[in-house]
Amino acid sequence: MKFADIPGHEDVKAHLRSMADSGRVPHALLLEGPAGAGKFALARAFARYIHCTGRRPGDTDSCGCCASCRQHDAFNHIDTVYCFPVVKKGGKPALSDDYIGEFRDFMAASPFMDFDRWLRALDNINAQPQIYVEEGNHLLHRLTYMARQSSHKVVLLWLPERLKEETANKLLKLVEEPYGDTVFVMVSDAQRRILGTIYSRTQRVGVKAYSDGEIVSILAGKGVSADAAAGIAAIAEGNVNKALQLAEVSEERMRCLDLFIQLMRKAYARKVGELRQWSADAASLGREPLMQFIDYSTRLIRESLMMHLRDSSLLTLDRDECAFVSKFFPFINEKNVIDMTDLFDKARRDIAANGNARIILFDLAVRIIILIRRK
């Protein structure tokens, strides 16, 4: 991954190049910002730029030809360490190295680091991947060795917010008093969840979400038509992964829309027995798809309220969604929208906390029976 391979973020690229060119690379760097903004791609390009032996004064990117660049292309540079959240293996905490093959395939297939795709790569969509304390011990041992081929060892740490607290405490000394040839480059989608003592010892670089125009350009490069790309960009909120999901896997979006339509129609008709079956069917999807459904439902509720304003420029609906919401929106109003949204938010928290999804969804459905008729 070279800087030239990453759309946009020219200011961030220039800042990172300046650090490397001046020899003032911080021992702990944090790229922070929303998911799907290309932060890990920037981190990879930065590590490659540091390690490149073919750069010449004035170059603005790694050469792409030297031995170091070729090793980065294959994700096996000897002085690059990947650290990322994993799930337990055989009932025991695992190391990143236990999943390094899967992670290399994931980076190649999803350079914008789609977390849902990583869950599928782990073959456990209900998992809550973590970086375990064993990883901290392994890093401590591994980083005692000097850089072998370059001036710096670079640790690319994806999602430090998923460090177990004991793991973060274990790494704190490395971040506070690093080996002279070691650079930590952390990439976070939720910086507020990072342990404060770790966060305060990093030099932060903010990475903004992509603009709608940049999303359209990225999708156009994937062969998406201009009209479709514009519609997707309006919904994606600057998240390339979300945009690609909408472009490539419309089936999931249609499933969410179908579940939402069933829920609202059965709730309005007060078909409690059918809602019980709906809850069981929906619960079988698994935790992560259910949380995606709830997020999707919250968006449609918000869009339904906005439709009262009769200003299409405020809406981010595709054709199928618009066809339903244009009929459904009278049932969402200022008297029930807050309670309705809070209801879905509570269901999301309970499901994320491993609550019984079938019970949580049935409770949600029964309460909607009351709210949907509130005027």
Side-chain angles (χ1 to χ4, degrees), residues 115-132:
F115 187 73
D116 294 335
R117 190 165 186 160
W118 178 232
L119 289 177
R120 293 194 293 273
L122 292 172
D123 198 26
N124 191 341
I125 61 173
N126 289 321
Q128 294 250 19
Q130 305 264 328
I131 302 175
Y132 296 98

Side-chain angles (χ1 to χ4, degrees), residues 248-303:
E248 296 174 5
V249 194
S250 60
E251 182 180 343
E252 291 184 11
R253 188 177 78 258
M254 291 305 298
R255 181 190 65 198
C256 288
L257 177 60
D258 183 56
L259 279 174
F260 184 81
I261 291 173
Q262 288 183 45
L263 171 61
M264 294 303 165
R265 286 178 175 170
K266 295 179 190 302
Y268 183 78
R270 300 181 178 180
K271 295 181 178 180
V272 177
E274 292 185 18
L275 285 173
R276 182 179 291 109
Q277 184 59 50
W278 175 91
S279 304
D281 293 341
S284 67
L285 296 174
R287 183 172 58 208
E288 291 296 330
L290 273 180
M291 291 194 290
Q292 291 173 15
F293 163 67
I294 291 173
D295 291 341
Y296 178 87
S297 299
T298 302
R299 183 177 73 83
L300 282 196
I301 290 169
R302 182 179 67 247
E303 296 289 337

Side-chain angles (χ1 to χ4, degrees), residues 57-324:
D59 287 351
T60 58
D61 214 335
S62 48
C63 72
C65 301
C66 68
S68 289
C69 285
R70 292 196 300 272
Q71 288 171 14
H72 272 283
D73 285 337
F75 305 108
N76 65 358
H77 191 278
I78 195 168
D79 291 325
T80 302
V81 180
Y82 294 102
C83 181
F84 47 88
V86 297
V87 294
K88 292 182 178 181
K89 207 165 191 175
K92 298 179 180 179
L95 301 174
S96 297
D97 280 357
D98 295 331
Y99 289 94
I100 193 61
E102 292 88 342
F103 194 68
R104 286 170 177 156
D105 292 341
F106 167 62
M107 287 188 288
S110 183
F112 290 92
M113 308 301 281
D114 183 345
F115 187 73
D116 294 335
R117 190 165 186 160
W118 178 232
L119 289 177
R120 293 194 293 273
L122 292 172
D123 198 26
N124 191 341
I125 61 173
N126 289 321
Q128 294 250 19
Q130 305 264 328
I131 302 175
Y132 296 98
V133 68
E134 287 77 8
E135 185 77 39
N137 294 329
H138 182 64
L139 270 177
L140 282 169
H141 173 72
R142 188 167 179 179
L143 295 178
T144 56
Y145 295 97
M146 295 183 65
R148 301 181 187 181
Q149 187 175 300
S150 312
S151 59
H152 291 87
K153 301 188 297 286
V154 179
V155 179
L156 296 178
L157 199 162
W158 183 45
L159 304 183
E161 58 267 29
R162 288 185 174 267
L163 286 163
K164 298 278 285 184
E165 186 172 350
E166 57 268 32
T167 317
N169 289 327
K170 179 77 67 173
L171 294 180
L172 182 58
K173 186 172 180 61
L174 270 178
V175 174
E176 284 182 321
E177 302 174 15
Y179 297 105
D181 64 348
T182 299
V183 175
F184 279 86
V185 183
M186 307 181 195
V187 173
S188 173
D189 293 342
Q191 59 269 23
R192 292 184 180 180
R193 289 168 45 199
I194 301 173
L195 187 69
T197 49
I198 293 283
Y199 185 76
S200 64
R201 287 162 175 79
T202 62
Q203 182 170 324
R204 276 90 70 183
V205 176
V207 180
K208 297 179 181 178
Y210 281 109
S211 67
D212 286 359
E214 288 173 321
I215 293 289
V216 169
S217 179
I218 293 168
L219 291 177
K222 301 289 185 181
V224 180
S225 69
D227 288 344
I232 290 170
I235 301 171
E237 301 175 325
N239 185 329
V240 174
N241 291 324
K242 187 174 181 180
L244 292 173
Q245 288 171 5
L246 290 169
E248 296 174 5
V249 194
S250 60
E251 182 180 343
E252 291 184 11
R253 188 177 78 258
M254 291 305 298
R255 181 190 65 198
C256 288
L257 177 60
D258 183 56
L259 279 174
F260 184 81
I261 291 173
Q262 288 183 45
L263 171 61
M264 294 303 165
R265 286 178 175 170
K266 295 179 190 302
Y268 183 78
R270 300 181 178 180
K271 295 181 178 180
V272 177
E274 292 185 18
L275 285 173
R276 182 179 291 109
Q277 184 59 50
W278 175 91
S279 304
D281 293 341
S284 67
L285 296 174
R287 183 172 58 208
E288 291 296 330
L290 273 180
M291 291 194 290
Q292 291 173 15
F293 163 67
I294 291 173
D295 291 341
Y296 178 87
S297 299
T298 302
R299 183 177 73 83
L300 282 196
I301 290 169
R302 182 179 67 247
E303 296 289 337
S304 298
L305 184 67
M306 297 301 291
M307 189 164 276
H308 285 276
L309 301 177
R310 307 288 181 178
D311 185 349
S312 60
S313 66
L314 300 175
L315 302 175
T316 59
L317 299 168
D318 67 18
R319 182 178 59 185
D320 294 319
E321 292 167 343
C322 190
F324 171 72

